[in-house]
Amino acid sequence: KFFGIKYLQTPFFNSYELLQEMQKACPWMLLHTVVGREHRSLGALLHKPLFSGRIAPVAIRWIDDEMGYGLFSQNLIAKEAFIGQYTGLVHKGGRFGKKMLNGYCIRIPTKFWSLQYFVMDAQNAGNELRFANHSDAPNIRPFCLIDRGLVHIGFFALRQIEVGEELTFDYGRAYWKYRKKK
């Protein structure tokens, strides 16, 4: 309530049809080949945390007027530990339309040849991970998890993260294509 956003433990789909459409758009290579083995096995292993909304103990803190808020660890986090799933409202878009709806959107991988894509939009609804800022030297990374044919965007620690350390990830080149780094 303080931030004016709705808290979501898991991604939100406006309809069952949209969820089914996203499942059908899941990349074939991730679903059926050795390329996706780790994505599928981690998705199955993390099934309960994905659907319960479990997230590592974190705190949202004010940084300054330029950065705004950030996400900070409350406990020591081990290297490669699961931090949580990025949540938001799932929207459908086209490859030749808007590139990014807002700064809180993460694109969800789809089939290579698909003209449709999906984004997880946490601007108005999401979880704590929406407060993770960009860094060129990040300490967490996004990774696609496949559970029951659905792509989830999970975050994992790249190294041990100390108590009180800010959690950051690399937003990627596409994010900065139309923005300036601070």
Side-chain angles (χ1 to χ4, degrees):
K1 289 181 182 181
F2 177 81
F3 297 107
I5 64 166
K6 182 177 179 177
Y7 187 82
L8 296 176
Q9 288 184 291
T10 59
F12 181 81
F13 295 84
N14 282 325
S15 69
Y16 183 65
E17 290 77 21
L18 181 62
L19 176 123
Q20 288 179 312
E21 199 172 334
M22 193 171 122
Q23 282 179 310
K24 287 179 186 173
C26 185
W28 185 87
M29 288 182 69
L30 293 181
L31 284 174
H32 303 290
T33 71
V34 69
V35 171
R37 183 179 295 145
E38 185 178 13
H39 302 271
R40 294 187 306 272
S41 62
L42 278 173
L45 180 69
L46 295 168
H47 172 79
K48 284 186 181 180
L50 289 173
F51 285 92
S52 69
R54 183 191 95 40
I55 191 163
V58 294
I60 301 162
R61 294 188 195 142
W62 178 256
I63 298 173
D64 60 34
D65 288 337
E66 186 177 345
M67 290 295 295
Y69 289 93
L71 191 64
F72 295 83
S73 66
Q74 289 188 302
N75 293 349
L76 187 71
I77 299 174
K79 181 180 180 178
E80 299 180 0
F82 178 64
I83 305 297
Q85 170 182 206
Y86 193 86
T87 66
L89 305 174
V90 177
H91 297 289
K92 187 167 59 168
R95 292 214 187 271
F96 304 108
K98 292 181 183 178
K99 297 297 181 202
M100 197 61 84
L101 300 175
N102 63 62
Y104 294 95
C105 288
I106 290 184
R107 194 164 170 180
I108 301 166
T110 57
K111 293 177 181 176
F112 178 72
W113 59 86
S114 177
L115 295 177
Q116 293 283 327
Y117 71 86
F118 297 86
V119 294
M120 187 76 62
D121 181 354
Q123 183 172 27
N124 298 315
N127 65 4
E128 295 92 339
L129 282 164
R130 74 182 293 283
F131 291 97
N133 289 316
H134 168 79
S135 175
D136 289 333
N139 56 14
I140 64 174
R141 70 178 174 103
F143 190 77
C144 293
L145 305 169
I146 310 296
D147 183 42
R148 295 180 295 165
L150 188 63
V151 177
H152 299 268
I153 307 298
F155 278 84
F156 294 85
L158 286 168
R159 59 172 174 74
Q160 181 172 295
I161 300 170
E162 302 300 322
V163 175
E165 187 176 347
E166 184 178 8
L167 302 179
T168 60
F169 71 101
D170 185 344
Y171 287 2
R173 287 184 304 187
Y175 180 88
W176 297 111
K177 189 173 182 179
Y178 302 105
R179 296 173 177 90
K180 289 186 178 186
K181 285 187 181 182
K182 295 181 180 183

